[in-house]
Amino acid sequence: DPIPRDQYPSPKEIRDTDFDSFVAFSLGTTGEDVNKDCIYEIDAVKVVSGVISGERYHTYVKPYKKGLEKVAESAGIPSDILKDSPQMWEMFNSFMDYAGDLVLVGYDVMRIGSKFLARAGRYANRIVNNYGDTEKIMSIIALSHMNVLEIKK
């Protein structure tokens, strides 16, 4: 049985940019609504001590909410590949094994990706790692550089 939604911890965002090992990832989803849409693909790479490692993670995920044929057509992926792919909770366990305890970094991850991975984690009975949202991290870096430039004037 999945972990009940009210008992699953909220995603935790790391706003400190002082980490040099992480997993950069991207999810392919059928939309942005975790209640109506689903994950159909995940791609990731590890960065260890600031260097991209040779370990890439990629898998397609069998859609469970939208029709398989519809997802295959809109994503441009052959339906037989999606049909034979792992379910989201199976993908989640292998992805978290790959990530270990590293921070998961992605674009706009706190608004979209974290919700899809939390859902997968609930069904896999496993807790998600902390996140770094590149959209927010870049805002922090940009603001810190703006302040430095203003001070120098």
Side-chain angles (χ1 to χ4, degrees):
D1 288 338
I3 298 171
R5 186 178 302 173
D6 62 340
Q7 293 176 20
Y8 196 82
S10 296
K12 292 182 183 161
E13 180 180 13
I14 303 294
R15 290 195 175 204
D16 179 2
T17 58
D18 190 26
F19 55 89
D20 63 357
S21 296
F22 55 91
V23 172
F25 78 101
S26 177
L27 295 179
T29 64
T30 58
E32 297 182 357
D33 186 342
V34 73
N35 295 311
K36 295 179 184 173
D37 297 304
C38 59
I39 299 169
Y40 64 82
E41 183 176 15
I42 185 165
D43 203 0
V45 65
K46 278 186 187 178
V47 175
V48 180
S49 299
V51 178
I52 297 173
S53 76
E55 299 178 62
R56 178 179 178 231
Y57 179 92
H58 177 264
T59 189
Y60 292 107
V61 181
K62 186 175 186 176
Y64 66 98
K65 286 192 171 193
K66 303 254 177 162
L68 187 111
E69 295 297 327
K70 183 178 179 181
V71 173
E73 183 180 326
S74 65
I77 301 165
S79 59
D80 58 324
I81 289 176
L82 290 176
K83 180 178 64 81
D84 296 334
S85 296
Q87 297 284 348
M88 71 171 181
W89 48 88
E90 296 166 333
M91 168 281 302
F92 182 82
N93 280 322
S94 69
F95 178 58
M96 294 310 294
D97 289 345
Y98 168 82
D101 61 355
L102 296 175
V103 175
L104 303 177
V105 175
Y107 180 77
D108 206 13
V109 70
M110 292 309 295
R111 188 173 70 84
I112 302 170
S114 65
K115 292 171 177 55
F116 282 97
L117 287 180
R119 182 179 183 87
R122 283 186 32 243
Y123 282 86
N125 288 297
R126 191 165 177 181
I127 306 301
V128 181
N129 294 9
N130 292 333
Y131 294 100
D133 192 321
T134 58
E135 179 184 40
K136 292 180 182 176
I137 291 170
M138 290 309 296
S139 296
I140 291 167
I141 291 170
L143 288 174
S144 69
H145 286 331
M146 284 174 55
N147 292 337
V148 169
L149 292 174
E150 288 174 13
I151 292 169
K152 287 183 178 179
K153 287 183 180 178

